[in-house]
Amino acid sequence: METWSLSTLLIAFGGGIVGAAFGGLWSIIICGFLVFVGCLVVIAGGSDFMLLQVGLGPIFGPHVGGFTAGAAAVCYSVGVKKNHPTGSAKDVLSPLMDTSWDVLLIGGLFALLGHVLLPLIAAIPILNQSDVIAVNVTFCCMLARFLFLKEMPWGKAESIKEHGLLGTGNYAISWAPWQATPIKITVLGLGAGIFGAALAQGLKLHVDPLVAKGVVTPVAAFVMPLIIVWGLALIHLIALQLGTGSIQKVPIWHCQGILGSLGFLLSGSLVVGALAGILGGFLQELAARLTYNHGSSHIDPPVTGIAMGVFILSILFKPQFLNLAALFK
């Protein structure tokens, strides 16, 4: 798809309206499902269109309708229109159909913004060593908070004064407090990192011969083993969306899983994948403490953790930087 064509811009705008109508969490669950299906198509030797253009592209990627639209629209609904059903801009679970037409329109406009920003972020040296989609989503969520809630990325000064910037009030203000203790972060990150690395290892062995035969593109052959665990982890957030009480307290691990996959793909080591998963857990929690806990809106800790984690792993393991991958060859 041509990035700047009128058709592509309209597609991103329309997907943003749909994403806002569903709300942030339903939209990213749908995005995860589309990515997972796209991975299955690539595994079968099919087209990478579903993966790269639908689940990760302008049709319904996270930076357009697949999350940014819903996260931005809820800020507008709460801060400007005052018509959100729960009154909380952190509420990415509620669909926004019960608000107003202009809330949905804001979703479309932010999806369009996310689409336009993506190639610009990808052109920035050093920053483009991160996951540019994750950087894009984080920036757009921060921008929506600032524009519609008049609040900085780090949140409310009174909350920071009361609890300290990294404080949680004994987890009272924590994002996902059921997994926020250091030992749970470590153990969950370890398991998710190994799981992501193992999937990447097995699927890379499967897809490499398809690349040699010209059946699968090199881009899809890298992205599919990397991203499939992310899609799986998002699909299971249906339990978070629909559950209550202890049923809702499912692990949120797409950051740890994808960093585990990337750690393996950059180094060829399952051990690096495991350590990368643990790193992802702590980065995710750090992001929550820096941007989510004290704030009035949802700046997503996993996506911010992915942005930071991919950058760190790239600097550590890519040949043009520290090239620690050479130690594992």
Side-chain angles (χ1 to χ4, degrees):
M1 300 177 70
E2 294 292 333
T3 301
W4 304 111
S5 73
L6 178 60
S7 294
T8 304
L9 296 175
L10 285 172
I11 286 167
F13 177 68
I17 292 175
V18 172
F22 275 111
L25 187 56
W26 268 129
S27 294
I28 197 64
I29 290 168
I30 293 168
C31 178
F33 178 77
L34 293 171
V35 164
F36 183 67
V37 171
C39 288
L40 295 182
V41 173
V42 172
I43 290 169
S47 168
D48 58 19
F49 180 82
M50 177 66 79
L51 176 60
L52 300 182
Q53 300 300 326
V54 181
L56 296 175
I59 297 178
F60 211 72
H63 58 299
V64 286
F67 185 76
T68 288
V74 71
C75 290
Y76 175 81
S77 176
V78 171
V80 178
K81 294 297 290 187
K82 316 291 185 185
N83 62 1
H84 191 268
T86 68
S88 172
K90 283 187 171 179
D91 177 10
V92 293
L93 279 70
S94 296
L96 298 177
M97 285 303 297
D98 200 23
T99 57
S100 54
W101 65 269
D102 51 326
V103 173
L104 306 185
L105 189 65
I106 289 295
L109 292 174
F110 261 80
L112 193 58
L113 174 64
H115 172 70
V116 169
L117 284 176
L118 191 65
L120 302 181
I121 295 171
I124 299 174
I126 302 298
L127 183 61
N128 60 14
Q129 298 304 313
S130 182
D131 181 318
V132 292
I133 290 180
V135 172
N136 191 338
V137 174
T138 299
F139 172 77
C140 286
C141 288
M142 290 179 175
L143 180 63
R145 175 184 284 184
F146 178 75
L147 290 178
F148 303 134
L149 300 173
K150 311 305 179 188
E151 190 173 289
M152 300 303 286
W154 48 86
K156 300 184 289 289
E158 55 270 26
S159 178
I160 296 172
K161 184 177 180 180
E162 178 181 355
H163 300 289
L165 179 61
L166 298 180
T168 64
N170 196 27
Y171 303 107
I173 62 170
S174 284
W175 168 84
W178 58 88
Q179 62 180 62
T181 61
I183 187 61
K184 286 187 178 179
I185 291 171
T186 301
V187 174
L188 177 60
L190 175 66
I194 294 172
F195 184 66
L199 277 178
Q201 182 184 48
L203 291 172
K204 186 175 186 302
L205 289 173
H206 169 79
V207 80
D208 281 352
L210 298 180
V211 176
K213 294 177 182 177
V215 175
V216 171
T217 65
V219 173
F222 179 81
V223 172
M224 182 274 293
L226 170 68
I227 204 73
I228 192 169
V229 69
W230 181 87
L232 277 171
L234 288 171
I235 291 170
H236 103 279
L237 291 183
I238 292 173
L240 179 64
Q241 175 72 46
L242 299 179
T244 57
S246 61
I247 296 173
Q248 194 179 42
K249 296 178 181 179
V250 294
I252 304 172
W253 58 286
H254 46 291
C255 173
Q256 299 94 310
I258 194 172
L259 291 186
S261 296
L262 181 62
F264 172 80
L265 291 171
L266 290 178
S267 69
S269 168
L270 290 173
V271 173
V272 172
L275 294 175
I278 296 171
L279 173 68
F282 280 99
L283 289 175
Q284 179 174 266
E285 179 61 20
L286 176 63
R289 296 185 184 210
L290 290 175
T291 66
Y292 181 93
N293 292 352
H294 301 296
S296 299
S297 66
H298 189 100
I299 296 175
D300 194 60
V303 79
T304 307
I306 291 170
M308 293 188 291
V310 171
F311 181 80
I312 291 169
L313 292 175
S314 295
I315 297 301
L316 289 177
F317 290 100
K318 285 188 174 180
Q320 64 268 41
F321 300 109
L322 296 180
N323 195 26
L324 296 186
L327 300 176
F328 299 91
K329 301 303 183 183

